[in-house]
Amino acid sequence: MTWLHDIFKHSPETALFLSLCLGYLIGKIKFGKFQLGGVAGSLLVACVVSQVGVQIDSGVKSVLFALFIYAVGYESGPDFFNSLGRKSIREIILAVIMAATGLITVVVMAKLTGLDKGLAAGVAAGGLTQSAIIGTAGDAIGKLGLAADETKRLQANVAIGYAVTYVFGSFGAIIVCVNILPWLMKRSIRDDAMKAEAEMQAGSVKVLGEGQMDAAPDLVGRLYMIAPGKGHSVAQIESALGEPPVTIERIKRKGKFVEVTPQVALEEGDIVLVVGRRPGVVASGPLLGREVYDEEGMSVTMVRRDVSITSKSIVGKTVEQIRQATTGEVRHGVYVMGLRRMGKPLALAPDLVVHEGDTVTVYGAEHDVRRVATTFGEVIVSTSKTDFVYMGAGLVLGLLIGLLSVKLGDIPLTLGAGGGALLSGLLFGWWRARKQTFGYMPPGAVQILKDLGLAGFVAVVGLQSGLQAVTTIREHGLTLFLVGVVVTLVPMIITLLIARYLLRYDNAAILAGALSGSRSANPAFGEVLAKAENSVPTVPFAITYALANVLLTLLGPLIVALA
């Protein structure tokens, strides 16, 4: 293996990307319904690669983790702050209980079994399947002022504890959510999911997934040839239908195009393009003539634009008030497709109050959309580029926050770089959701920062600590595994009992979603969805998951301080 050692000596980054490559390959292998995942796979491969001998700078680890944790906060920010309300008080309590019982369980078990701070934090990361604890705990250990060798040993133990306990951490969450919870409630997840779905209000917002589209879209365009006796003016045709509205976008007469104005009278044989909501367009047929399926030059390019509402004349008013206050000339040819708040679609009810920063999606010809956009606010420019000014400012602020510390006895308690970047990411992600004309980071960019940041960070830890890992597992392997079982099951069961008997959850599907989210247990949530056979568990999961990503991540420095 001398040749391999020489390669890694001259190019340590080769060892890093080899660990990621093989780690994700191993992570794809299925054991029944369980997959190890790319993060755990990268850690295991890195530990093996490290046996050859690899020296990699710790600065790489710090940069990767800062990028990862900031991206987590940026993505979770809107949901996190939106979840802090009266309607979701049970989910908030649930997430707090899970984090608190998890912290207590880890600290108690560490004291009883004599685990050091690093192993205790690693057990928390694996047993609670919150990989980000590896980084926040490791950062907190670095602030303890210990000797360099001791700091490195404890930080390595975090990764070791995680590796030993992660597998059951995933299995245990599935067991509790899919098996123990329905048994305790004596209710089926599927039956309760169907019941909850039936009780949902009619007219709820339909959200299509990526690549999906309606077979019968709401907004359509059709061509009609004007029949004898149908020579009404454009204004008469458009006003005759009332609601839902339609607009005539193009007129062709004897092979030539006629400028469309409200006063233009249609003549027999004219071909017109009618655009609008499908019921109105279909109803316009009897007023015009027979439908024509193709005519050269009659196609008009329509656009769909997202507009951030900033106009003071719009903010604070209901949808109906805005509609009545907006003149027909302004509204002509433009159709509102939807309204989102903090990324969440809202039903366009007449009494819905519009807030500053809401995003309205409008459809129409380019000039019509531009006219309405200037009335509502600012058009959100679609781009695939990240606003690095905003992202850089967020990271700098987060890292500065991470430098702050307070004393808990003789132990400095600090958010560290990871906790600071997480907090900053939450704030910057939330603010970006409110002010969408700047600070954009494409979802794909967020995902690569999360994936590469965390897996790369864990791989560096494995490369630096793999030699020590073998010795530690020989000494504490069984103890670590059993402690991980306790850390996985006890907080979930306590939280489940409190949810059922104190918080009065009576729907198994909703509780299963909330419980899996409070543990940020994605495999468990996947099984819950499979059992539910609909999306009912998704809403409670989203709330508790957003909170858990923050609360569980912050356990790292607390465990280091208390264990």
Side-chain angles (χ1 to χ4, degrees), residues 295-377:
E295 180 68 24
E296 184 179 356
M298 288 299 289
S299 178
V300 174
T301 300
M302 310 296 279
V303 298
R304 183 173 64 180
R305 296 283 186 265
D306 288 336
V307 180
S308 179
I309 295 178
T310 59
S311 173
K312 300 300 181 185
S313 63
I314 300 293
V315 174
K317 293 184 178 180
T318 65
V319 170
E320 180 60 25
Q321 288 173 333
I322 295 170
R323 191 189 70 81
Q324 292 179 357
T326 306
T327 64
E329 292 182 359
V330 173
R331 289 190 286 118
H332 183 268
V334 178
Y335 303 89
V336 176
M337 298 185 66
L339 187 73
R340 299 193 306 277
R341 181 170 299 156
M342 289 291 183
K344 302 298 182 184
L346 302 175
L348 282 170
D351 59 348
L352 175 67
V353 177
V354 174
H355 294 177
E356 183 177 4
D358 285 354
T359 301
V360 60
T361 302
V362 293
Y363 172 91
E366 180 72 51
H367 62 279
D368 289 328
V369 169
R370 193 183 308 116
R371 180 186 66 247
V372 168
T374 57
T375 303
F376 284 5

Side-chain angles (χ1 to χ4, degrees), residues 1 4 13 51 109 122 341 437 475 540:
M1 291 294 181
L4 197 56
E13 61 272 21
Q51 306 304 309
M109 292 304 297
R341 181 170 299 156
T437 54
E475 295 177 358

Side-chain angles (χ1 to χ4, degrees), residues 157 229 288 467 535:
N157 281 351
L288 299 172
L467 291 172
S535 62

Side-chain angles (χ1 to χ4, degrees), residues 69-382:
I69 205 67
Y70 177 81
V72 169
Y74 182 91
E75 183 180 54
S76 303
D79 283 338
F80 177 75
F81 287 107
N82 281 348
S83 67
L84 304 179
R86 292 183 179 180
K87 292 183 179 180
S88 55
I89 189 65
R90 291 196 305 180
E91 283 74 26
I92 296 172
I93 294 173
L94 206 67
V96 171
I97 290 171
M98 179 66 76
T101 53
L103 174 62
I104 293 170
T105 304
V106 170
V107 173
V108 169
M109 292 304 297
K111 297 291 186 183
L112 291 176
T113 57
L115 300 182
D116 60 36
K117 296 178 183 295
L119 290 173
V123 167
L128 300 175
T129 58
Q130 182 54 260
S131 305
I133 292 176
I134 302 173
T136 55
D139 196 56
I141 289 171
K143 303 288 185 180
L144 294 178
L146 303 173
D149 288 346
E150 179 64 7
T151 298
K152 184 178 179 180
R153 185 186 71 82
L154 290 176
Q155 289 176 335
N157 281 351
V158 178
I160 295 165
Y162 168 82
V164 173
T165 58
Y166 174 81
V167 174
F168 186 82
S170 295
F171 276 129
I174 294 173
I175 292 170
V176 173
C177 292
V178 176
N179 300 107
I180 296 178
L181 185 153
W183 172 80
L184 176 69
M185 297 185 69
K186 295 180 174 59
R187 304 178 67 90
S188 162
I189 289 178
R190 182 183 180 279
D191 290 346
D192 276 8
M194 297 300 175
K195 176 183 175 183
E197 186 176 48
E199 293 173 353
M200 288 181 177
Q201 293 182 352
S204 59
V205 179
K206 182 179 180 180
V207 179
L208 297 174
E210 183 178 355
Q212 295 179 331
M213 60 185 68
D214 280 319
D218 182 42
L219 292 168
V220 298
R222 288 190 176 183
L223 296 172
Y224 292 98
M225 179 177 287
I226 304 301
K230 304 293 184 180
H232 306 289
S233 71
V234 170
Q236 289 174 326
I237 293 295
E238 292 181 349
S239 62
L241 290 168
E243 293 292 335
V246 300
T247 55
I248 294 177
E249 293 289 342
R250 184 159 288 188
I251 303 173
K252 190 175 185 180
R253 179 176 297 163
K254 298 178 180 179
K256 296 183 179 180
F257 295 100
V258 177
E259 182 182 358
V260 180
T261 66
Q263 295 76 29
V264 170
L266 302 179
E267 299 180 2
E268 180 183 349
D270 285 354
I271 297 176
V272 297
L273 171 63
V274 182
V275 175
R277 301 197 184 279
R278 184 157 42 88
V281 172
V282 173
S284 67
L287 297 175
L288 299 172
R290 68 181 179 86
E291 185 173 358
V292 179
Y293 297 103
D294 187 29
E295 180 68 24
E296 184 179 356
M298 288 299 289
S299 178
V300 174
T301 300
M302 310 296 279
V303 298
R304 183 173 64 180
R305 296 283 186 265
D306 288 336
V307 180
S308 179
I309 295 178
T310 59
S311 173
K312 300 300 181 185
S313 63
I314 300 293
V315 174
K317 293 184 178 180
T318 65
V319 170
E320 180 60 25
Q321 288 173 333
I322 295 170
R323 191 189 70 81
Q324 292 179 357
T326 306
T327 64
E329 292 182 359
V330 173
R331 289 190 286 118
H332 183 268
V334 178
Y335 303 89
V336 176
M337 298 185 66
L339 187 73
R340 299 193 306 277
R341 181 170 299 156
M342 289 291 183
K344 302 298 182 184
L346 302 175
L348 282 170
D351 59 348
L352 175 67
V353 177
V354 174
H355 294 177
E356 183 177 4
D358 285 354
T359 301
V360 60
T361 302
V362 293
Y363 172 91
E366 180 72 51
H367 62 279
D368 289 328
V369 169
R370 193 183 308 116
R371 180 186 66 247
V372 168
T374 57
T375 303
F376 284 5
E378 299 180 62
V379 174
I380 301 173
V381 179
S382 179

Side-chain angles (χ1 to χ4, degrees), residues 471-486:
T471 302
T472 305
I473 291 174
R474 285 174 180 170
E475 295 177 358
H476 301 284
L478 181 60
T479 300
L480 284 176
F481 178 79
L482 294 177
V483 170
V485 171
V486 174

Side-chain angles (χ1 to χ4, degrees), residues 344-495:
K344 302 298 182 184
L346 302 175
L348 282 170
D351 59 348
L352 175 67
V353 177
V354 174
H355 294 177
E356 183 177 4
D358 285 354
T359 301
V360 60
T361 302
V362 293
Y363 172 91
E366 180 72 51
H367 62 279
D368 289 328
V369 169
R370 193 183 308 116
R371 180 186 66 247
V372 168
T374 57
T375 303
F376 284 5
E378 299 180 62
V379 174
I380 301 173
V381 179
S382 179
T383 178
S384 59
K385 295 183 177 181
T386 297
D387 185 342
F388 277 99
V389 174
Y390 192 74
M391 174 183 166
L395 281 165
V396 169
L397 177 62
L399 295 174
L400 290 175
I401 291 173
L403 296 176
L404 303 176
S405 65
V406 295
K407 290 277 189 176
L408 184 64
D410 294 328
I411 301 174
L413 185 59
T414 175
L415 287 177
L422 176 64
L423 179 59
S424 176
L426 287 168
L427 292 172
F428 274 60
W430 169 76
W431 188 249
R432 153 66 195 173
R434 285 178 56 87
K435 308 287 185 179
Q436 296 195 40
T437 54
F438 60 89
Y440 183 61
M441 189 188 300
V446 175
Q447 193 62 46
I448 191 64
L449 288 182
K450 289 168 55 183
D451 292 344
L452 178 61
L454 181 57
F457 167 82
V458 168
V460 173
V461 171
L463 292 171
Q464 292 179 330
S465 61
L467 291 172
Q468 178 193 328
V470 175
T471 302
T472 305
I473 291 174
R474 285 174 180 170
E475 295 177 358
H476 301 284
L478 181 60
T479 300
L480 284 176
F481 178 79
L482 294 177
V483 170
V485 171
V486 174
V487 169
T488 295
L489 296 179
V490 170
M492 289 201 77
I493 291 175
I494 291 175
T495 305

